[in-house]
């Protein structure tokens, strides 16, 4: 849809004697991708009569944060419809955001024209693996703190932007994990087999120090009871022995 932002009317002047005419369009709850984002639109300053200046301006905001601006003195840069591309990856968290297009003009005739607005995702990479059981909670950061969970088979899959750097950390009640987390730097390809093993602690007392307790977990292993006779053995989920 083609939109026109213009002004030349009688309003109450501001403290400097200028009459400001705002016109805006806000689209709420716009779903943003999780792998970077580019906002694109065609922009044209159709008229900027004598007396117009940098106070006559066009602003684009995401969640009330300015991401693009142009003013009447830049008419030579936009003499006809020109494609504008704005990197809005700072908001690409997979959530919903508002996008506002705002035209503010003085009592001079200035027209800002916009057409063909689109929001495109950047390239993604996938990090996937298994954590032995369902409902393992995985936390990481992509623009904001993010959450993912393993499925009924213990599998997980997380999409992040190309060149992402960060850490994925698993959580499950009463368990510690091996590894405790996985860190990444400048990820450029899909990563598979990024597994986590949940470990549980078997504890007890023998009332005797230095007793050897033997068990098998992949290979034969052993621990000694402590000076107070207590012992502690860490084994993976679903272990039998």
């Amino acid at each position: 849809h083609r939109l026109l932002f213009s002004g030349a009317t009688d309003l109450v002047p501001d403290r400097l004697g200028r009459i400001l005419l705002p016109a805006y369009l806000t689209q709420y709850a716009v779903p943003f991708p999780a792998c970077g984002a580019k906002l694109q639109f065609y922009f044209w300053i159709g008229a900027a009569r004598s007396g117009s200046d940098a106070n006559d301006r066009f602003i684009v905001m995401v969640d009330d944060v300015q991401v693009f601006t142009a003013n009447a003195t830049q008419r030579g840069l936009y003499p006809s419809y020109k494609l504008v591309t704005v990197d809005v990856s700072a908001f690409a968290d997979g959530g919903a955001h508002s996008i506002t297009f705002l035209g503010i003009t003085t009592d001079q005739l200035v027209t800002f024209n916009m057409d063909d607005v689109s929001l495109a995702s950047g390239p993604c990479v996938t990090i996937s693996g298994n954590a032995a059981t369902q409902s393992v909670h995985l936390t990481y950061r992509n623009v904001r703190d993010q959450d993912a969970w393993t499925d009924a088979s213990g599998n997980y899959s997380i999409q992040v932007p190309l060149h992402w750097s960060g850490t994925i950390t698993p959580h499950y009640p009463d368990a510690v994990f091996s590894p405790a987390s996985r860190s990444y730097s400048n990820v450029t390809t899909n990563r598979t087999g990024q597994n986590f093993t949940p470990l549980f602690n078997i504890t007890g007392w023998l009332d005797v120090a230095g007793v050897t307790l033997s068990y098998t977990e992949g290979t034969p292993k052993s621990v000694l009871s402590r000076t107070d006779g207590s012992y502690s053995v860490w084994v993976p989920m679903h272990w039998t022995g």
Side-chain angles (χ1 to χ4, degrees), residues 4-9 21 23 56 104-112:
L4 171 67
F5 299 84
S6 65
T9 188
L21 176 66
D56 301 287
I104 302 176
T105 60
T106 66
D107 55 346
Q108 306 299 322
L109 177 61
V110 179
T111 61
F112 299 118

Side-chain angles (χ1 to χ4, degrees), residues 3 70 72 75 81 91 93 99 107 128-131 149 168 178 202:
L3 299 174
R75 187 184 181 194
Y81 276 114
F91 304 90
D93 58 2
I99 302 177
D107 55 346
S128 60
N130 186 276
W149 283 266
I168 299 174
S178 177
I202 299 174

Side-chain angles (χ1 to χ4, degrees), residues 142-187:
N142 178 22
V143 179
R144 60 176 174 82
D145 291 339
Q146 303 274 7
D147 304 281
W149 283 266
T150 55
D151 63 18
S153 298
N155 298 318
Y156 75 91
S157 180
I158 295 172
Q159 284 195 323
V160 293
L162 185 69
H163 304 300
W164 180 76
S165 296
T167 300
I168 299 174
T169 303
H171 310 270
Y172 193 82
D174 300 321
V176 300
F177 283 84
S178 177
S181 62
R182 289 185 179 273
S183 296
Y184 303 87
S185 178
N186 191 30
V187 180

Side-chain angles (χ1 to χ4, degrees), residues 127 203 207:
I127 299 173
T203 61
D207 295 329

Side-chain angles (χ1 to χ4, degrees), residues 7-236:
T9 188
D10 294 327
L11 295 177
V12 178
D14 69 2
R15 62 185 179 82
L16 297 179
R18 299 187 301 257
I19 297 176
L20 304 179
L21 176 66
Y24 68 92
L25 170 70
T26 298
Q27 182 67 51
Y28 297 98
V30 178
F32 270 59
C35 300
K38 290 184 179 180
L39 178 66
Q40 293 186 316
F41 55 91
Y42 285 87
F43 181 65
W44 165 37
I45 302 178
R49 289 190 177 176
S50 176
S52 61
D53 56 24
N55 294 300
D56 301 287
R57 57 198 187 274
F58 176 80
I59 300 169
V60 181
M61 296 182 291
V62 177
D63 293 343
D64 297 325
V65 177
Q66 180 176 301
V67 296
F68 174 81
T69 186
N71 63 70
T73 67
Q74 298 173 303
R75 187 184 181 194
L77 296 177
Y78 305 97
S80 59
Y81 276 114
K82 179 179 179 180
L83 179 63
V84 175
T85 300
V86 183
D87 187 350
V88 290
S89 295
F91 304 90
D93 58 2
H97 301 272
S98 65
I99 302 177
T100 298
F101 301 92
L102 172 65
I104 302 176
T105 60
T106 66
D107 55 346
Q108 306 299 322
L109 177 61
V110 179
T111 61
F112 299 118
N113 305 269
M114 181 186 65
D115 200 3
D116 292 340
V117 181
S118 64
L119 182 65
S121 173
C124 295
V125 290
T126 300
I127 299 173
S128 60
N130 186 276
T133 189
Q134 65 180 348
S135 300
V136 173
H137 180 202
L138 300 121
T139 58
Y140 62 103
R141 186 166 183 84
N142 178 22
V143 179
R144 60 176 174 82
D145 291 339
Q146 303 274 7
D147 304 281
W149 283 266
T150 55
D151 63 18
S153 298
N155 298 318
Y156 75 91
S157 180
I158 295 172
Q159 284 195 323
V160 293
L162 185 69
H163 304 300
W164 180 76
S165 296
T167 300
I168 299 174
T169 303
H171 310 270
Y172 193 82
D174 300 321
V176 300
F177 283 84
S178 177
S181 62
R182 289 185 179 273
S183 296
Y184 303 87
S185 178
N186 191 30
V187 180
T188 58
T189 59
N190 294 335
R191 300 289 185 89
T192 59
Q194 305 299 290
N195 300 332
F196 296 98
T197 301
L199 302 173
F200 292 88
N201 197 14
I202 299 174
T203 61
W205 285 266
L206 298 174
D207 295 329
V208 179
V211 174
T212 300
L213 296 98
S214 301
Y215 65 104
T216 300
E217 194 277 291
T219 59
K221 297 181 179 180
S222 64
V223 297
L224 293 177
S225 58
R226 303 184 184 98
T227 55
D228 63 354
S230 65
Y231 68 90
S232 174
V233 177
W234 287 95
V235 293

